[in-house]
Amino acid sequence: RNLISQETFKFHFKDLRYAKGRKDTFLCYEVTRKDCDSPVSLHHGVFKNKDNIHAEICFLYWFHDKVLKVLSPREEFKITWYMSWSPCFECAEQIVRFLATHHNLSLDIFSSRLYNVRVPETQQNLCRLVQEGAQVAAMDLYEFKKCWKKFVDNGGRRFRPWKRLLTNFRYQDSKLQEIL
């Protein structure tokens, strides 16, 4: 299983307003098949920026090359991302194009922090993601716990929220709602 360390998670996913020194994006993903009443997990793991390619694009390349070929186009699939940063405008644009050509896929994006949302193109492309059917939301306590449990080498320890997690979530969420 592709897990991240507790220290990496706490450093990179901390939902700070100003996150200095956090240049990498981590993307924890799960791909499920919508099967009757309960989804069936097919793949999960972690991507991070690599060789100047953003984590979202690494996922899309991997998904296209390794997963899409074996999925039935007649079945519906759900992709869930837990990200340390929301997508930049260029990545959001590529994700929009990806969703537009794969109608049997849905995408939920939960991000710890908003990336460069003062840039109008970033705001526009986050809106375009939603218009294309993606759910875009700030990570709240529930998502942090879920991410910790599934994607962190946690040694069986429960997630312990950091100070101001809920306050910072409300800030990130309100900024995102203003944009959307």
Side-chain angles (χ1 to χ4, degrees):
R1 253 174 67 168
N2 190 6
L3 300 175
I4 57 177
S5 72
Q6 295 175 44
E7 295 78 19
T8 297
F9 180 78
K10 289 176 183 175
F11 182 77
H12 286 282
F13 278 84
K14 200 166 189 178
D15 57 348
L16 303 168
R17 287 185 191 199
Y18 306 103
K20 292 186 179 193
R22 290 160 172 86
K23 296 180 188 217
D24 286 325
T25 297
F26 284 82
L27 183 153
C28 303
Y29 70 89
E30 182 170 30
V31 179
T32 57
R33 183 177 63 232
K34 295 179 181 177
D35 194 50
C36 300
D37 292 332
S38 59
V40 177
S41 182
L42 301 173
H43 300 279
H44 65 274
V46 179
F47 282 98
K48 114 178 213 197
N49 295 357
K50 184 178 180 183
D51 300 327
N52 293 322
I53 300 173
H54 290 185
E56 306 93 301
I57 305 310
C58 292
F59 174 89
L60 293 179
Y61 286 151
W62 167 81
F63 190 81
H64 186 268
D65 291 345
K66 304 286 187 203
V67 179
L68 202 55
K69 294 175 182 178
V70 297
L71 298 180
S72 168
R74 292 182 299 278
E75 291 184 280
E76 291 189 20
F77 299 92
K78 179 179 180 180
I79 301 168
T80 305
W81 289 353
Y82 303 94
M83 301 180 64
S84 55
W85 287 104
S86 64
C88 71
F89 77 91
E90 292 157 332
C91 289
E93 189 172 305
Q94 290 192 43
I95 298 163
V96 165
R97 286 199 298 265
F98 175 79
L99 291 173
T101 58
H102 299 90
H103 298 286
N104 62 328
L105 303 175
S106 66
L107 175 63
D108 291 350
I109 303 171
F110 299 98
S111 59
S112 175
R113 294 180 305 274
L114 298 173
Y115 179 76
N116 219 8
V117 291
R118 290 190 176 115
V119 174
E121 292 88 356
T122 301
Q123 295 178 13
Q124 292 165 356
N125 283 347
L126 286 175
C127 290
R128 287 183 59 212
L129 276 171
V130 172
Q131 290 166 353
E132 196 55 53
Q135 176 185 334
V136 180
M139 286 178 74
D140 66 11
L141 182 59
Y142 176 79
E143 277 86 31
F144 282 113
K145 284 180 179 179
K146 195 170 182 181
C147 194
W148 174 269
K149 188 174 182 180
K150 189 159 195 106
F151 302 104
V152 177
D153 186 8
N154 59 44
R157 293 181 190 87
R158 292 183 352 175
F159 176 68
R160 294 186 59 185
W162 44 80
K163 289 182 181 179
R164 301 183 51 81
L165 182 146
L166 293 177
T167 302
N168 291 341
F169 158 72
R170 287 186 199 104
Y171 172 80
Q172 300 290 339
D173 185 56
S174 68
K175 284 291 182 197
L176 183 59
Q177 296 312 313
E178 285 175 26
I179 293 167
L180 300 179

